[in-house]
């Protein structure tokens, strides 16, 4: 069965610093991977997704993620953090049906941005 | 603009009462999902539907039921509310049945407290 692990439930960076949020996946087949963001008191929205085309995927708000098969990773990065990036970020892998439905989510990483 | 809405946004109820949470989407999507979000657990799937009259159990379906009588709505019913069901509930929808690269669109959430 597929799974994702997000390292670090909380990450704190200074404004202008690099953002790196880690996600590792476990999958017996080539995975499709997603990053979602949840701003306070809101639902989740898609940041970006990997669908086996380019391994470097660019998303909204300056975020990008690189699929590395050899490391089973899909880490999310942004060169320069902004205060508005403070949110919770979820990595997810998709699978076909089953009791977990289409998407299996990691437990999330809360990003804090210090002025 | 197409959207997905949930009501109520906040609900307080008592143990043993039946509660129904509404989810309505105007995307005309085939697939609809209910998740609960709890600290330390991320998002867990409760039930999902791939179309009218279709419903499937997720990993935490005990004590919950859904029915899909039309494309737009997937109400979630708690048959006899328990304190363990205090949570934030999210509804989501996606367009394509069985498409592993499909994006899920999330509602704003319902915060349910069971006293």
């Amino acid at each position: 069965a597929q799974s994702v692990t997000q390292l670090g439930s909380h990450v704190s960076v200074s404004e202008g610093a690099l953002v790196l949020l880690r996600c590792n996946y476990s999958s017996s087949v080539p995975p499709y991977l997603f990053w979602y963001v949840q701003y306070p008191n809101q639902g989740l929205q898609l940041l970006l997704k990997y669908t086996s085309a380019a391994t470097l995927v660019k998303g909204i708000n300056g975020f990008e993620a690189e699929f590395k098969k050899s490391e089973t990773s899909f880490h999310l990065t942004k060169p320069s953090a902004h205060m508005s990036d403070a949110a919770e970020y979820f990595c997810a892998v998709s699978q076909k049906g089953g009791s977990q439905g289409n998407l299996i989510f990691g437990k999330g990483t809360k990003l804090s941005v210090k002025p | 603009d197409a959207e997905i809405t949930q009501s109520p946004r906040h609900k307080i109820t008592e143990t043993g009462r039946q509660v129904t949470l509404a989810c309505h989407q105007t995307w005309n999507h085939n697939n609809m999902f209910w998740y609960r979000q709890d600290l330390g657990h991320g998002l867990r799937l409760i039930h999902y539907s791939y179309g009218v009259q279709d419903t499937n159990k997720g990993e935490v379906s005990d004590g919950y039921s859904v029915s899909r009588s039309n494309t737009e709505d997937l109400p979630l019913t708690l048959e006899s509310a328990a304190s363990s069901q205090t949570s934030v509930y999210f509804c989501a929808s996606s367009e394509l049945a069985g498409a592993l690269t499909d994006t899920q669109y999330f509602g704003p959430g319902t915060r349910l407290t069971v006293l």
Side-chain angles (χ1 to χ4, degrees), chain B:
Chain B
D1 285 347
E3 61 177 354
I4 180 165
T5 56
Q6 293 183 235
S7 60
R9 294 293 312 279
H10 301 271
K11 174 82 176 175
I12 299 174
T13 191
E14 295 177 343
T15 302
R17 290 193 181 263
Q18 184 180 79
V19 177
T20 296
L21 309 183
C23 175
H24 179 80
Q25 52 100 359
T26 58
W27 293 96
N28 200 34
H29 284 167
N30 289 310
N31 311 325
M32 295 184 73
F33 308 85
W34 273 105
Y35 296 90
R36 59 178 290 175
Q37 183 179 31
D38 303 287
L39 210 58
H41 290 278
L43 277 85
R44 293 181 291 174
L45 185 67
I46 305 171
H47 282 285
Y48 60 103
S49 168
Y50 287 150
V52 176
Q53 303 301 333
D54 176 75
T55 60
N56 304 281
K57 292 182 178 181
E59 65 172 313
V60 291
S61 60
D62 286 350
Y64 302 94
S65 64
V66 293
S67 62
R68 187 92 179 269
S69 58
N70 59 51
T71 301
E72 295 80 16
D73 300 289
L74 187 70
L76 177 71
T77 297
L78 286 68
E79 305 293 346
S80 177
S83 57
S84 60
Q85 294 176 309
T86 292
S87 186
V88 182
Y89 291 85
F90 288 98
C91 181
S93 70
S94 66
E95 183 180 9
L96 304 171
L100 298 178
T101 58
D102 210 12
T103 297
Q104 288 190 18
Y105 296 87
F106 284 77
T110 294
R111 185 175 295 274
L112 177 68
T113 302
V114 183
L115 300 175

Side-chain angles (χ1 to χ4, degrees), chain A residues 34-102:
Chain A
F34 302 75
W35 276 100
Y36 282 82
V37 60
Q38 183 181 28
Y39 297 105
N41 300 312
Q42 294 186 28
L44 281 71
Q45 64 182 83
L46 181 72
L47 263 182
L48 51 83
K49 61 181 174 181
Y50 168 71
T51 59
S52 77
T55 56
L56 182 63
V57 183
K58 294 188 185 299
I60 61 171
N61 301 335
F63 283 93
E64 62 182 37
E66 187 171 9
F67 173 72
K68 291 188 177 179
K69 186 178 178 181
S70 60
E71 298 177 9
T72 61
S73 69
F74 190 56
H75 302 330
L76 182 70
T77 59
K78 182 174 179 178
S80 177
H82 192 273
M83 296 296 290
S84 60
D85 295 326
E88 190 153 21
Y89 293 79
F90 292 92
C91 183
V93 63
S94 67
Q95 73 164 25
K96 203 156 191 147
S99 66
Q100 292 177 293
N102 290 84

